[in-house]
Amino acid sequence: CEWVTEEGLRAVSNLTKLTILSIGGFYDLTEEGLRAVSSLPALTELDLSYSHVTDQALQALRSLRTLTSLKLEECEKVTAAGVQALRNTTVAPSLHIEL
């Protein structure tokens, strides 16, 4: 997904029945891009593996009430503190985060 843009993520955000999204390898994944993703009301699984997502950008996912699986494999800019902050603030009680 290295060529996906934030504009592309905004377009995907119109897919209200989308349940699984894999955008691993998206190097320039920002908080704005994740905010677009966080507007997907049915999203249950999100794979951000091998991206340059940051702790701050992850906070945009707090509103994903249906999210049950978040994959962050090889996300070198994500720290344990960032993951814990997301767990502390997420409204999805059964969120499983895979590092």
Side-chain angles (χ1 to χ4, degrees), residues 7-23:
E7 183 178 331
L9 290 178
R10 283 192 294 275
V12 167
S13 71
N14 293 319
L15 303 173
T16 58
K17 294 184 180 184
L18 186 69
T19 59
I20 299 171
L21 180 61
S22 178
I23 49 176

Side-chain angles (χ1 to χ4, degrees), residues 54-56 58-59 78-87 97:
T54 64
D55 289 347
Q56 183 175 349
L58 277 182
Q59 296 309 304
V78 173
T79 67
V83 170
Q84 189 59 45
L86 181 61
R87 286 186 181 169
I97 300 175

Side-chain angles (χ1 to χ4, degrees), residues 67-96:
L67 192 65
T68 57
S69 175
L70 175 61
K71 294 182 182 178
L72 298 169
E73 186 178 343
E74 297 296 325
C75 292
E76 296 173 356
K77 294 183 178 184
V78 173
T79 67
V83 170
Q84 189 59 45
L86 181 61
R87 286 186 181 169
N88 289 343
T89 59
T90 188
V91 292
S94 61
L95 178 61
H96 171 75

Side-chain angles (χ1 to χ4, degrees), residues 43-62:
L43 193 66
T44 58
E45 296 179 32
L46 179 59
D47 186 351
L48 303 176
S49 298
Y50 302 96
S51 69
H52 292 169
V53 66
T54 64
D55 289 347
Q56 183 175 349
L58 277 182
Q59 296 309 304
L61 301 177
R62 293 179 294 182

